[in-house]
Amino acid sequence: MFHVEPDFYHAWQYYARALKQRNSLLKSKRNLSLQDLEPWNKMLAEYGEMLHSQRSGIVEQWKVYFEQDLKQLLPNLDIQMEYVPGFHTELGLLHDLSVHHQKDLDRRYTEYGPHRADLRLKTTLGDADVVLSRGQKKLLIVALKLSQIAMLHACNKETVVLLDDVTAELDLTAQRRLIERLSQLGSQVFITTLEHESVKEHLHDLSISYQLFKVENGQVQVVVQ
């Protein structure tokens, strides 16, 4: 967020400060009235709504890149990304803070706000973390990361990609899809693997240039090919 939406950082700083102070009050004092918390509620609402607006816009942009990576890495799956803002946007954050005042007093922390926001990934069969295999989950996480990289490139940011144990949990077809996608990033890419012969075959078949290094006993050596 900080890289693609510069104003987000300042809004988050103000929001985080107000949230910390409000939670401190909730923990240290009992029987706080709604009026007692009004200054913090107003600040949380102002900057919280700002954060939500910026996040919503970024997530909509992200979805475009994410769907492109999904088509390449998991072409047989329909996965939807859902942004959960952490409060009822139709009524506003100030409304939630006011209506749920007693709940916050009982729990001694702030229940609603963008600090409670989340991303949910769903398939036609249910939540992705429940129905996907380990290999599919790995590719899904990679798709999330690579789509963020694509967004950074769209903002003229340069990236370096590090991916450990690239072949783990993946069959040969999935390995090739992933390696091909990595080669298209326009980034410098470092990958590690215990199955270097398999990776070398993919790189050769895809006509991708590379430099091989060997790590042994803590020493890195260039492999002459």
Side-chain angles (χ1 to χ4, degrees), residues 127-185:
D127 290 342
D129 63 333
V130 175
V131 303
L132 296 187
S133 68
R134 292 179 65 177
Q136 290 171 329
K137 288 178 183 178
K138 176 176 179 173
L139 289 177
L140 175 57
I141 293 170
V142 170
L144 287 167
K145 295 298 184 182
L146 296 188
S147 55
Q148 290 177 25
I149 289 172
M151 287 186 65
L152 290 174
H153 288 176
C155 297
N156 297 316
K157 303 289 185 180
E158 295 184 358
T159 60
V160 175
V161 178
L162 311 176
L163 183 55
D164 186 36
D165 209 357
V166 65
T167 56
E169 313 291 349
L170 304 180
D171 61 26
L172 291 175
T173 300
Q175 290 175 21
R176 180 162 301 197
R177 286 181 187 146
L178 176 52
I179 290 172
E180 183 176 19
R181 179 67 189 101
L182 290 171
S183 72
Q184 298 167 349
L185 283 177

Side-chain angles (χ1 to χ4, degrees), residues 27-40:
K27 291 175 182 177
S28 63
K29 296 183 179 181
R30 292 288 188 179
N31 302 318
L32 288 166
S33 68
L34 187 58
Q35 187 175 0
D36 290 332
L37 292 175
E38 184 177 6
W40 290 274

Side-chain angles (χ1 to χ4, degrees), residues 93-151:
L93 179 53
L94 186 59
H95 176 272
D96 279 351
L97 293 172
S98 300
V99 169
H100 299 284
H101 173 72
Q102 188 58 49
K103 182 187 289 187
D104 284 355
L105 291 180
D106 295 339
R107 298 188 178 184
R108 306 183 79 173
Y109 69 87
T110 304
E111 176 73 17
Y112 291 91
H115 61 286
R116 305 283 290 178
D118 199 6
L119 282 176
R120 293 176 184 168
L121 299 165
K122 297 183 177 181
T123 73
T124 54
L125 299 176
D127 290 342
D129 63 333
V130 175
V131 303
L132 296 187
S133 68
R134 292 179 65 177
Q136 290 171 329
K137 288 178 183 178
K138 176 176 179 173
L139 289 177
L140 175 57
I141 293 170
V142 170
L144 287 167
K145 295 298 184 182
L146 296 188
S147 55
Q148 290 177 25
I149 289 172
M151 287 186 65

Side-chain angles (χ1 to χ4, degrees), residues 62-73 150 181:
W62 187 8
K63 284 181 180 179
V64 176
Y65 296 102
F66 177 58
E67 289 169 2
Q68 292 172 357
D69 277 303
L70 281 179
K71 287 178 182 177
Q72 189 160 353
L73 297 177
R181 179 67 189 101

